Amino acid sequence: MRKLKSIFLLMLMAIVPLQSIAAEEESKELDIPEIVLEHLADAYEWHIASYQGKHLSIPLPIIVRSENTGEWHFCTAHSLPESFYFDQEHHGKIYEKMPDGTAVRPLDLSITKSVAQIWIVVIVLIVVFLSCAQWYKKHDEKSEAPGGFVGFMEMFVMMIHDDLIKSSIGEKHYKPYAPYLLTVFFFIFTTNIIGLIPIFPGGANVTGNINITFFLALCTMLAINLFGNKEYWKDIFWPEVPLFLKAYPVPIMPVIELFGVFTKPFALMIRLFANMMAGHAVILSFTCVIFLGWSMGVGFGLGLNAFSIIMLLFMNMLEVLVAFVQAYVFTMLSAVFIGLAHKEHEE
């Protein structure tokens, strides 16, 4: 019962950052797609809540280099130099007005909401694993089994290490890749879970940002192709197929296999990005339905409120499962692809 109350309170807290919608949209039609996309996009400040037209937010450091003068500017969204502005047509990114009237994208090294969320996740992971490491320093794990949170984390790590990484790559080759794959799994899983928390320090759509999933997929692609053995490259450029398929008159199979080198990480990138962005979008849409119902009248408001709250509870519980599944699938496919790059020669 206490767990249900906690979940219900979190659902109500999720509405707090959007409560300004009701006041702002009284005089115009509620544009749910625009509201959802705005909350999914990255930002130069961390919005907490709005009340009666006033916004409570945490300003984040903006670091940009002027393309006109070459100078670096350190500021916040409220103290941006006159030559810079936020271009809403390009998802609110910073652009610079040049003397000839054109607009260019300056070198932008700002700490955005997604970047800040990543550092929060890093701090959480460091605290969790260093606290577990302290237990092993003070105890003999061969004669004493850890309990409580440390025991849970050991079970979690060994499940991913033994049942996923070791079995997918193979006992002879898995060790060099285990640290990377464990890091990827716990980074994605922790990021997904913290992203479901509707208030600060959660709520950022990090794994729903294609730049983040692109970088994770790129790391996996490098791990596959930089350390693949000769059998892996032989199967790409000279596979075990009839000669006319791999050499004459057109090397069909080598072209297809070489194309697969890029499609595998691309599939990893799109799968994680699409699933996490879709989950956040659905949750935000059901939240907006509450305000849409009240704008249509008390009767619609009561009915849609009950429907929206039930669906919000269901979607948030489903997203907790999806947070684990997506981290598991990304790590599993990465391990499988790495294992295929280390397969032994078959006579």
Side-chain angles (χ1 to χ4, degrees):
M1 192 66 183
R2 290 181 178 177
K3 291 183 178 179
L4 290 176
K5 289 181 179 179
S6 299
I7 295 173
F8 182 72
L9 287 174
L10 284 175
M11 296 305 99
L12 294 178
M13 291 161 65
I15 302 173
V16 172
L18 297 176
Q19 62 181 316
S20 61
I21 296 174
E24 294 175 358
E25 301 292 338
E26 285 180 355
S27 59
K28 61 179 181 179
E29 185 179 355
L30 189 67
D31 191 348
I32 293 180
E34 181 182 353
I35 294 168
V36 171
L37 291 175
E38 179 182 350
H39 283 79
L40 289 176
D42 203 0
Y44 292 93
E45 60 182 9
W46 201 307
H47 183 261
I48 305 297
S50 299
Y51 182 70
Q52 295 183 351
K54 296 181 179 180
H55 302 282
L56 174 62
S57 59
I58 300 174
L60 298 173
I62 293 177
I63 308 170
V64 290
R65 180 182 180 273
S66 173
E67 293 294 324
N68 183 29
T69 63
E71 297 180 354
W72 286 94
H73 297 273
F74 301 86
C75 55
T76 64
H78 303 291
S79 59
L80 201 65
E82 292 184 1
S83 58
F84 297 92
Y85 66 99
F86 298 104
D87 191 345
Q88 299 304 322
E89 294 183 358
H90 294 86
H91 308 289
K93 296 298 183 182
I94 294 178
Y95 274 74
E96 181 182 7
K97 293 180 180 178
M98 303 300 287
D100 59 358
T102 60
V104 297
R105 182 87 165 95
L107 179 60
D108 189 354
L109 302 179
S110 304
I111 307 299
T112 61
K113 184 178 179 180
S114 294
V115 176
Q117 183 77 92
I118 290 173
W119 280 108
I120 291 172
V121 171
V122 169
I123 293 171
V124 169
L125 291 176
I126 290 175
V127 170
V128 167
F129 286 104
L130 286 183
S131 62
C132 293
Q134 288 298 319
W135 186 94
Y136 289 98
K137 286 183 178 181
K138 298 176 181 179
H139 299 80
D140 183 9
E141 69 277 7
K142 295 182 180 180
S143 59
E144 183 180 357
F149 180 74
V150 178
F152 171 76
M153 289 304 301
E154 180 180 299
M155 177 199 69
F156 211 171
V157 170
M158 295 310 297
M159 179 189 70
I160 302 301
H161 182 273
D162 293 346
D163 299 340
L164 195 156
I165 298 173
K166 189 175 180 180
S167 62
S168 298
I169 299 178
E171 193 168 347
K172 293 177 62 176
H173 305 288
Y174 81 94
K175 289 184 178 180
Y177 303 98
Y180 163 69
L181 292 172
L182 283 169
T183 302
V184 166
F185 173 81
F186 282 102
F187 172 78
I188 296 175
F189 177 66
T190 307
T191 302
N192 292 345
I193 292 296
I194 294 180
L196 293 176
I197 300 174
I199 58 173
F200 181 83
N205 185 34
V206 175
T207 46
N209 186 327
I210 200 167
N211 295 309
I212 306 300
T213 59
F214 168 77
F215 178 77
L216 293 173
L218 178 63
C219 291
T220 295
M221 188 180 77
L222 293 176
I224 295 169
N225 295 288
L226 290 182
F227 307 105
N229 60 16
K230 63 180 182 180
E231 292 298 324
Y232 168 71
W233 292 108
K234 178 179 177 295
D235 284 345
I236 292 177
F237 293 107
W238 199 254
E240 297 292 336
V241 295
L243 184 63
F244 72 91
L245 290 176
K246 60 184 177 183
Y248 181 82
V250 179
I252 298 176
M253 289 305 297
V255 171
I256 294 175
E257 292 293 337
L258 187 62
F259 188 67
V261 170
F262 302 98
T263 56
K264 290 175 182 176
F266 179 79
L268 287 176
M269 174 185 70
I270 296 299
R271 178 183 286 105
L272 180 60
F273 160 72
N275 281 282
M276 298 314 301
M277 186 188 70
H280 282 268
V282 171
I283 290 174
L284 286 168
S285 298
F286 280 122
T287 306
C288 291
V289 167
I290 296 174
F291 302 107
L292 179 64
W294 284 115
S295 66
M296 297 169 64
V298 177
F300 283 102
L302 292 174
L304 289 178
N305 271 12
F307 171 76
S308 297
I309 290 174
I310 292 172
M311 293 305 299
L312 279 171
L313 287 169
F314 171 76
M315 284 304 303
N316 273 271
M317 288 187 288
L318 181 63
E319 279 297 295
V320 172
L321 176 62
V322 171
F324 172 79
V325 170
Q326 290 304 315
Y328 190 92
V329 169
F330 189 98
T331 309
M332 179 186 67
L333 291 178
S334 297
V336 169
F337 295 154
I338 291 172
L340 291 174
H342 290 276
K343 65 179 183 179
E344 302 295 333
H345 175 70
E346 296 181 1
E347 296 294 340

